[in-house]
Amino acid sequence: DIQMTQSPSSLSASVGDRVTITCRASQDIRNYLAWFQQKPGKAPKSLIYAASSLQSGVPSKFNGSGSGTDFTLTISSLQPEDFATYYCQQYNSYPFTFGPGTKVDIK
Amino acid sequence: QVQLVQSGAEMKKPGASVSVSCKASGYTFTGYYIHWVRQAPGQGLEWMGWLNPDKGDTNYAQKFQGRVTMTRDTPISTAYMELSSLNCDDTAVYYCARGRSLDYWGQGTLVTVSS
């Protein structure tokens, strides 16, 4: 199985900050990488697929990049509604696997 | 608009089975695989497998092989996930999600396993 790691596991940031989350796969997953946002008690929401493609309706302040084994999610100008847990997920091969999550909270 | 609506919370005893439904609307049900993902309390996301609503074929994560069955009722655009031989570690929120990139998710179904 492909192992996914994320760093940091948590971070504190202020409204208006730019935040970057890193995701690493244990083997080459090409660009089959998705990012999700999850708020407490809610289902995950898809933000990005194919490493850098924005899902319909997702604001452009979310930016994904990378390929192969190293990926990043950048949120520019953090807003109150962006405080959540973010997960990366590979869908290059089965079983699909998720990163452990990065919790973004208010400083 | 695309929607996946899941059945309500369930409480089961160890050893029992549970079935969770996922009703799709707003798109062609047979055009996208349905994936099932679960999340134990305070934990991360765990992929369980997929169902092809068109042909009915499935692919299960090895961890759940022999205990999970995914089926569908195409005329009513509904997918089902049945998990048997439940134990306390199966207490989780179970989600269905659409397509390989999991672009739309159901609201989740809490399954509690307790004696």
Side-chain angles (χ1 to χ4, degrees), chain B:
Chain B
Q1 74 282 22
V2 174
Q3 276 195 302
L4 298 173
V5 178
Q6 299 182 221
S7 48
E10 301 267 9
M11 184 164 288
K12 296 292 182 181
K13 293 193 181 305
S17 298
V18 68
S19 179
V20 179
S21 68
C22 171
K23 182 171 177 60
S25 62
Y27 73 99
T28 301
F29 178 60
T30 52
Y32 295 82
Y33 285 20
I34 292 289
H35 294 257
W36 290 89
V37 175
R38 77 177 186 178
Q39 186 171 37
Q43 302 300 309
L45 300 164
E46 181 176 32
W47 180 80
M48 300 179 69
W50 58 249
L51 163 75
N52 177 357
D54 185 28
K55 292 180 167 51
D57 52 313
T58 55
N59 181 0
Y60 304 140
Q62 189 166 12
K63 174 176 180 175
F64 301 102
Q65 290 271 3
R67 281 211 303 143
V68 70
T69 306
M70 297 177 188
T71 58
R72 89 289 194 213
D73 188 339
T74 306
I76 60 170
S77 299
T78 300
Y80 302 91
M81 186 283 299
E82 180 174 357
L83 189 63
S84 62
S85 302
L86 292 169
N87 60 66
C88 295
D89 291 342
D90 294 316
T91 294
V93 177
Y94 290 76
Y95 296 102
C96 59
R98 187 187 82 156
R100 194 173 180 187
S101 65
L102 309 181
D103 56 359
Y104 288 91
W105 293 60
Q107 82 277 19
T109 297
L110 175 62
V111 175
T112 304
V113 183
S114 174
S115 54

Side-chain angles (χ1 to χ4, degrees), chain A residues 32-105:
Chain A
Y32 292 105
L33 190 283
W35 288 98
F36 300 91
Q37 175 194 67
Q38 188 178 34
K39 297 180 181 179
K42 299 293 186 182
K45 174 187 175 183
S46 177
L47 298 175
I48 286 169
Y49 65 98
S52 60
S53 297
L54 220 55
Q55 283 288 0
S56 174
V58 174
S60 59
K61 63 181 172 180
F62 292 97
N63 181 66
S65 65
S67 67
T69 60
D70 294 308
F71 303 86
T72 59
L73 172 70
T74 300
I75 311 169
S76 61
S77 190
L78 209 61
Q79 296 302 303
E81 63 270 20
D82 301 327
F83 291 96
T85 299
Y86 293 85
Y87 294 94
C88 63
Q89 178 244 340
Q90 68 81 18
Y91 56 102
N92 178 72
S93 62
Y94 297 114
F96 288 176
T97 46
F98 293 85
T102 295
K103 185 176 181 181
V104 178
D105 61 21

